[in-house]
């Protein structure tokens, strides 16, 4: 019966969306009939949410649109989640012309659904597209596509406290090209997946290894944008670290090889007394949305935050270290191994990172007032 209701809702949703026309990017307005329909289609009966983890789970729909000849994106539509067709000469396959983004939808205790700062991801995609010589959807198109994908897959949003719906926007050069040049056509895709803890060991502190041989990014490269080309090169370093029992890798700058930059897919913060420091984003470090949020929250709570060059030797004297990211959240670091020396850090519920995380989660869940307009409610 649940499957039948779901199928009916899918057909009704697609039919209504096909009628929207030029307003296609706008999420359907709330009506008196919708709440009961959605309640029939809720998430509690379709998955073992207590054992969610962070792995790919196929949901129902993905959003897709393509750019026209002038670089503007068409109205787009929802399609059943599935494979896409690409030419073997597609720019993304031959020259890595692609960008990824990540944001989350949360279900709160009263059943409402919130998005956290999707407009920041839209802005970052535009910045990345400019660097990669790609057209990009407008910020409004980006946010509306995220909303639409969330609504279509809302049964996959875990119950409050069980996880979130991770939303992955993609911008790829799908047009065929032989020489090194911008692709002639681009596709914008948004899909979603329910997730729990990013790390296999759940809430256990991170154990990091400082990588001195391989580098994540270099000056003048694309390390400061969320390009797909940033991630394959770090897989070797991650595998090596995990084989030795570490959670992840902390990278050094490629010029001086003495300044810390970021972890494979998250930003890093050091705490000394009441001062918080994080590596300055100067082209080789991705400015994470969670990073920006934590800096603002720290200021609100009266902490001094510095964005600066941080020498790896400062790891030895730090009182506390933590990492931030959309997938990761705010995660304490239990130890860092640098030059074959293991540095252990305090891990407890009264740390600054725990305080910052508590405030962030309270904002995301609507428990405390959102004074900056970070939260978008899905209706």
């Amino acid at each position: 019966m649940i499957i039948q209701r779901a199928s009916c809702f899918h057909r009704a949703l697609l039919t209504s969306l096909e009628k929207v026309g030029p307003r296609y990017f706008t999420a359907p307005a709330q009506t008196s009939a919708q709440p009961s329909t959605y309640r029939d289609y809720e998430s509690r009966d379709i998955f073992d949410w207590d054992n969610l983890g962070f792995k790919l789970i196929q949901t129902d729909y993905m959003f897709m649109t393509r750019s026209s000849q002038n670089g503007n994106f068409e109205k787009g539509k929802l399609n059943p989640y599935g494979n896409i067709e690409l030419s073997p000469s597609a720019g993304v396959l031959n020259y890595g012309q692609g960008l990824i983004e990540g944001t989350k939808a949360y279900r709160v205790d009263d059943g409402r659904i919130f998005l956290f700062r999707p407009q920041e991801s839209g802005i970052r995609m535009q910045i990345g597209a400019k660097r990669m010589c790609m057209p990009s959807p407008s910020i409004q198109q980006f946010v509306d596509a995220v909303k639409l994908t969330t609504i279509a897959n809302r049964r996959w949003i875990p119950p409050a406290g069980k996880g979130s719906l991770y939303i992955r926007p993609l911008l790829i050069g799908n047009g065929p090209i032989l020489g090194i040049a911008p692709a002639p056509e681009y596709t914008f895709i948004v899909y979603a997946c329910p997730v729990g803890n990013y790390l296999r060991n759940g809430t256990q502190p991170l154990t990091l290894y400082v990588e001195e041989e391989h580098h994540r990014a270099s000056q003048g490269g694309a390390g400061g944008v969320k390009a797909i080309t940033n991630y394959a090169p770090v897989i070797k370093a991650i595998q090596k670290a995990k084989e030795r029992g570490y959670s992840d890798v902390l990278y050094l700058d490629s010029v001086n090889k003495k300044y810390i930059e970021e972890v494979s897919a998250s930003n890093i913060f050091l705490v000394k007394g009441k001062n918080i420091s994080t590596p300055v984003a100067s082209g080789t470090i991705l400015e994470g949305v969670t990073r920006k949020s934590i800096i603002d929250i720290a200021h609100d709570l009266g902490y001094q935050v510095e964005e600066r060059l941080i020498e790896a030797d400062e790891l030895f004297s730090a009182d506390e270290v933590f990492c931030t990211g959309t997938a990761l959240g705010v995660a304490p670091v239990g130890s860092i191994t640098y030059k074959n020396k293991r540095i252990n850090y305090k891990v407890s519920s009264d740390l600054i990172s725990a305080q910052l995380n508590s405030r962030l989660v309270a904002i995301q869940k609507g428990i405390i007032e959102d004074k900056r307009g970070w939260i978008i409610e899905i209706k």
Side-chain angles (χ1 to χ4, degrees):
M1 180 62 70
I2 291 174
I3 295 175
Q4 286 180 331
R5 290 197 195 108
S7 177
C8 291
F9 177 73
H10 279 167
R11 287 195 296 270
L13 177 62
L14 285 177
T15 300
S16 66
L17 291 172
E18 287 170 358
K19 296 177 181 178
V20 174
R23 298 176 57 209
Y24 206 100
F25 272 101
T26 302
Q30 181 85 12
T31 69
S32 59
Q34 282 179 324
S36 61
T37 304
Y38 286 146
R39 279 198 295 272
D40 288 342
Y41 198 54
E42 286 296 347
S43 61
R44 58 185 176 273
D45 299 322
I46 66 170
F47 200 82
D48 178 9
W49 300 114
D50 292 322
N51 296 293
L52 187 53
F54 197 94
K55 58 184 181 295
L56 184 64
I57 297 170
Q58 181 174 319
T59 51
D60 300 315
Y61 286 101
M62 62 184 189
F63 178 89
M64 183 180 295
T65 182
R66 291 187 174 180
S67 64
S68 57
Q69 290 293 327
N70 61 8
N72 294 323
F73 282 83
E74 301 167 352
K75 63 184 181 181
K77 64 177 181 178
L78 287 171
N79 295 315
Y81 181 97
N83 296 337
I84 61 174
E85 184 176 304
L86 286 175
S87 165
S89 57
V92 66
L93 297 180
N94 289 264
Y95 303 115
Q97 202 180 23
L99 295 164
I100 63 172
E101 270 301 330
T103 189
K104 285 181 175 179
Y106 303 86
R107 192 185 299 273
V108 297
D109 291 338
D110 62 7
R112 289 181 297 163
I113 297 169
F114 293 153
L115 291 170
F116 184 69
R117 306 191 74 177
Q119 64 276 15
E120 290 295 326
S121 294
I123 292 169
R124 191 167 59 181
M125 177 167 278
Q126 287 197 330
I127 294 170
K130 185 175 181 180
R131 173 63 179 85
M132 304 293 284
C133 297
M134 306 166 72
S136 66
S138 70
I139 296 169
Q140 190 61 54
Q141 286 175 328
F142 182 99
V143 172
D144 285 344
V146 168
K147 288 180 181 179
L148 203 57
T149 305
T150 303
I151 290 170
N153 294 294
R154 71 181 290 156
R155 73 175 180 136
W156 292 98
I157 304 175
K162 300 292 186 180
S164 58
L165 186 71
Y166 187 82
I167 303 158
R168 170 54 59 81
L170 291 169
L171 181 61
I172 62 172
N174 65 289
I177 191 81
L178 185 60
I180 301 178
E185 184 180 274
Y186 296 85
T187 298
F188 176 55
I189 302 168
V190 184
Y191 69 92
C193 174
V195 296
N197 287 317
Y198 179 69
L199 301 171
R200 289 182 181 178
N201 57 3
T203 58
Q204 292 298 310
L206 298 171
T207 56
L208 303 181
Y209 174 80
V210 178
E211 175 60 53
E212 298 182 75
E213 178 184 358
H214 301 288
H215 298 283
R216 177 191 167 274
S218 60
Q219 287 291 341
V225 300
K226 209 167 174 63
I228 63 173
T229 48
N230 290 341
Y231 295 91
V234 304
I235 293 175
K236 186 176 183 66
I238 294 172
Q239 286 183 332
K240 184 174 71 172
K242 290 189 174 181
E243 286 170 0
R244 299 174 64 180
Y246 300 103
S247 304
D248 212 330
V249 177
L250 173 60
Y251 298 90
L252 299 177
D253 76 287
S254 62
V255 177
N256 301 289
K257 301 183 179 181
K258 70 175 184 178
Y259 298 107
I260 63 171
E261 293 209 323
E262 65 176 273
V263 182
S264 301
S266 59
N267 298 115
I268 190 165
F269 290 78
L270 275 63
V271 179
K272 184 68 174 176
K274 295 296 185 181
N275 294 320
I276 303 173
S277 301
T278 191
V280 61
S282 57
T284 57
I285 296 173
L286 186 69
E287 294 190 68
V289 175
T290 308
R291 174 186 182 271
K292 294 174 66 174
S293 304
I294 287 298
I295 290 173
D296 286 341
I297 290 171
H299 284 143
D300 290 345
L301 296 177
Y303 293 107
Q304 178 70 35
V305 182
E306 293 182 294
E307 297 179 67
R308 61 179 178 86
L309 293 175
I310 301 175
E311 292 192 18
D313 285 343
E314 294 184 50
L315 296 169
F316 290 103
S317 60
D319 297 330
E320 178 185 347
V321 178
F322 62 93
C323 293
T324 64
T326 298
L328 184 66
V330 179
V333 175
S335 71
I336 298 178
T337 299
Y338 177 47
K339 293 188 179 299
N340 296 318
K341 297 179 181 178
R342 184 185 178 98
I343 313 159
N344 294 306
Y345 301 103
K346 296 181 295 184
V347 177
S348 68
S349 59
D350 61 352
L351 294 179
I352 290 175
S353 61
Q355 183 184 12
L356 297 173
N357 182 60
S358 178
R359 176 63 67 95
L360 174 66
V361 171
I363 294 172
Q364 290 172 336
K365 293 184 176 182
I367 297 172
I368 64 175
E369 183 183 358
D370 169 26
K371 298 180 179 179
R372 290 188 171 91
W374 287 352
I375 299 301
I376 295 177
E377 184 177 356
I378 294 292
K379 296 184 178 181

